[in-house]
Amino acid sequence: MSIEIANESGVEVDTDAVLAVARHALDEMGVNPLAELSVLLVDVGYMTELNHRWMGGDGPTDVLAFPMDEGSVDHGPGEAASAGGEPALLGDIVLCPEVAAKQAATAGHSAADELHLLTVHGVLHLLGYDHAEPEEEREMFGLQAKLLASWRSTRSR
């Protein structure tokens, strides 16, 4: 699993933990081990610009996911592998640590925990999950909680 991470946010982040939770989520979801993922941590200004340009939103958001090649994503053993067995370029996850820290304070957990949650959330979006409809939201958030719990249990051993 090739995961590139770049912290351009100006905020100190445990990028090893972000990489680890992303890798755990991809492994648990049965994604092709040759798949490629990029994680970018940005400041509020750049996230605001991305949110406006790509989502039509106002202000910064916490996470954005940009799938690269949806047709080639190998979701797991139950689905056919991508054409020719080529590794999938999953796409990019963009995180904003400053927004995550504010949300974490409101939610009553650490900024690191919020970034881990947002990383898993971004991975699930890249794999085609969404939360626009109540049923989709239940499925995606349930899976997100399960992946985070299993990741945390592996770290506490």
Side-chain angles (χ1 to χ4, degrees):
M1 191 83 53
S2 172
I3 303 175
E4 301 275 331
I5 189 163
N7 185 356
E8 299 175 5
S9 70
V11 175
E12 191 171 319
V13 171
D14 181 353
T15 54
D16 289 343
V18 172
L19 285 173
V21 74
R23 180 167 280 115
H24 177 81
L26 292 168
D27 287 346
E28 290 294 306
M29 294 301 294
V31 172
N32 182 330
L34 298 177
E36 297 177 21
L37 169 68
S38 169
V39 179
L40 178 63
L41 296 106
V42 300
D43 63 21
V44 169
Y46 192 58
M47 185 57 107
T48 299
E49 182 183 321
L50 289 175
N51 190 34
H52 178 72
R53 184 182 329 150
W54 297 105
M55 306 303 290
D58 289 327
T61 190
D62 50 5
V63 59
L64 291 170
F66 298 100
M68 287 299 186
D69 189 5
E70 293 182 46
S72 71
V73 174
D74 182 0
H75 289 278
E79 295 185 24
S82 57
E86 292 293 314
L89 180 58
L90 295 177
D92 302 320
I93 297 171
V94 183
L95 302 167
C96 185
E98 290 171 83
V99 174
K102 288 178 185 164
Q103 290 177 180
T106 302
H109 55 241
S110 73
D113 283 344
E114 186 73 10
L115 280 173
H116 303 155
L117 180 151
L118 295 172
T119 301
V120 171
H121 190 86
V123 165
L124 291 175
H125 273 307
L126 292 181
L127 296 178
Y129 289 87
D130 202 0
H131 48 84
E133 300 297 324
E135 187 174 309
E136 292 174 333
E137 182 176 331
R138 275 191 300 280
E139 179 185 16
M140 183 176 179
F141 284 61
L143 191 51
Q144 180 178 290
K146 180 180 143 201
L147 289 168
L148 283 167
S150 67
W151 181 70
R152 288 180 182 131
S153 74
T154 64
R155 287 177 48 102
S156 63
R157 288 183 201 156

